[in-house]
Amino acid sequence: MQRNPHYSKIEVFRQSPSFAHLGEEVLNELADISTQLRFSKGKFIFFEGDPPLEVLYIVREGKVKLFKESHSGKIHTFSIAHYGDTLHGIVLFTGQPCWISAQAMDEVTLLCLGKNAFLSFVTRHPGILMKIVEILGNQINTTHTRLMEFVSEDVQQRLLNVLSMLFAKFGATLFFTNEELAELAGTTTETTIRIIGRLKKSGIIDTRRGEVRILDSVRLNDLSNNFIMI
């Protein structure tokens, strides 16, 4: 039996919240119109303030940091995209400039759907549009929640929320540096190291260089949902 040449692309679309509900024939059509781009670690995919995107990006391999940089140079990371996630797709429909930047955290491969080809695809399959609007709405709500956390919550609470969020998305072993965790929590690396030390001492996590292992997810989630100083 001959293997479908688009099989690996189809698997990415099948795992994407935006496209998982589509049938095999439609997924194959998506694979037909998609191309692929690779970015090495540290490379930018787009910058805050760039013109509206002409491409819808879906992560095939690696992790992508979506963030804003303040006038003082402080980085605020809103989310980490990985396998199957779309990148800032809202600007594809609004025609507005990018309001966040995207940077490869490791070796990243993206599937790319050109705007015209994708809009033509949506026209042929209008049912997909409502699903995409739902996903984009959820992304906006998540970003709003993250903004409110930066403004209103205690630093330790923000870091607990970040660890709980990363556990839900990536599992018990998190390959993130203290600097990356600090950017997600909107604080300094030094403060992050202190809080991580307390969590480690409490037996909730363990750490190695560039790695955090969640040992007690129940207690982590409890602390995240019911803030208690440790």
Side-chain angles (χ1 to χ4, degrees):
M1 182 177 178
Q2 188 174 8
R3 185 183 179 91
N4 185 335
H6 293 320
Y7 179 76
S8 58
K9 287 184 179 181
I10 289 173
E11 282 302 301
V12 178
F13 288 122
R14 188 178 284 123
Q15 295 299 316
S16 173
S18 299
F19 307 107
H21 64 291
L22 298 176
E24 194 76 13
E25 185 176 339
V26 181
L27 289 174
N28 198 68
E29 188 178 341
L30 267 179
D32 274 334
I33 64 173
S34 68
T35 56
Q36 187 168 279
L37 280 177
R38 291 187 174 88
F39 294 84
S40 57
K41 182 177 180 178
K43 292 292 185 180
F44 281 83
I45 299 159
F46 50 82
F47 290 91
E48 180 181 354
D50 276 356
L53 297 178
E54 294 295 321
V55 176
L56 180 66
Y57 295 112
I58 302 97
V59 180
R60 179 173 181 172
E61 295 174 335
K63 299 193 298 293
V64 177
K65 177 172 68 174
L66 297 165
F67 69 96
K68 289 179 73 71
E69 184 174 358
S70 69
H71 293 300
S72 64
K74 188 174 182 179
I75 300 295
H76 297 283
T77 301
F78 290 98
S79 66
I80 306 295
H82 72 145
Y83 189 78
D85 288 338
T86 56
L87 302 181
H88 204 27
I90 188 68
V91 298
L92 194 72
F93 298 95
T94 64
Q96 298 297 312
C98 298
W99 63 272
I100 53 177
S101 299
Q103 184 180 26
M105 298 181 68
D106 41 31
E107 298 297 316
V108 166
T109 303
L110 302 177
L111 295 183
C112 310
L113 295 168
K115 180 177 180 179
N116 291 336
F118 182 63
L119 292 180
S120 176
F121 171 83
V122 169
T123 301
R124 294 192 300 276
H125 306 283
I128 192 177
L129 188 57
M130 292 306 296
K131 186 65 177 178
I132 290 174
V133 168
E134 177 188 341
I135 297 298
L136 295 177
N138 289 338
Q139 290 176 351
I140 291 170
N141 287 338
T142 298
T143 301
H144 179 264
T145 299
R146 298 280 291 131
L147 279 169
M148 294 306 295
E149 287 178 359
F150 286 142
V151 171
S152 62
E153 290 190 346
D154 176 275
V155 172
Q156 181 176 298
Q157 179 67 65
R158 296 202 301 266
L159 187 56
L160 287 167
N161 292 347
V162 163
L163 290 172
S164 184
M165 174 190 70
L166 293 176
F167 171 77
K169 190 165 189 174
F170 296 103
T173 302
L174 307 174
F175 296 100
F176 291 86
T177 65
N178 286 323
E179 182 179 5
E180 290 165 345
L181 292 174
E183 290 176 0
L184 279 163
T187 187
T188 64
T189 302
E190 292 74 16
T191 299
T192 297
I193 290 171
R194 287 197 298 271
I195 297 172
I196 287 291
R198 293 202 294 268
L199 290 171
K200 186 175 180 179
K201 188 175 181 180
S202 299
I204 297 171
I205 65 171
D206 193 15
T207 61
R208 298 177 183 176
R209 186 176 181 85
E211 179 182 329
V212 176
R213 287 186 293 129
I214 308 299
L215 303 179
D216 191 340
S217 60
V218 173
R219 191 173 173 207
L220 173 65
N221 288 331
D222 186 55
L223 288 172
S224 177
N225 294 326
N226 305 284
F227 181 53
I228 303 170
M229 289 296 293
I230 59 173

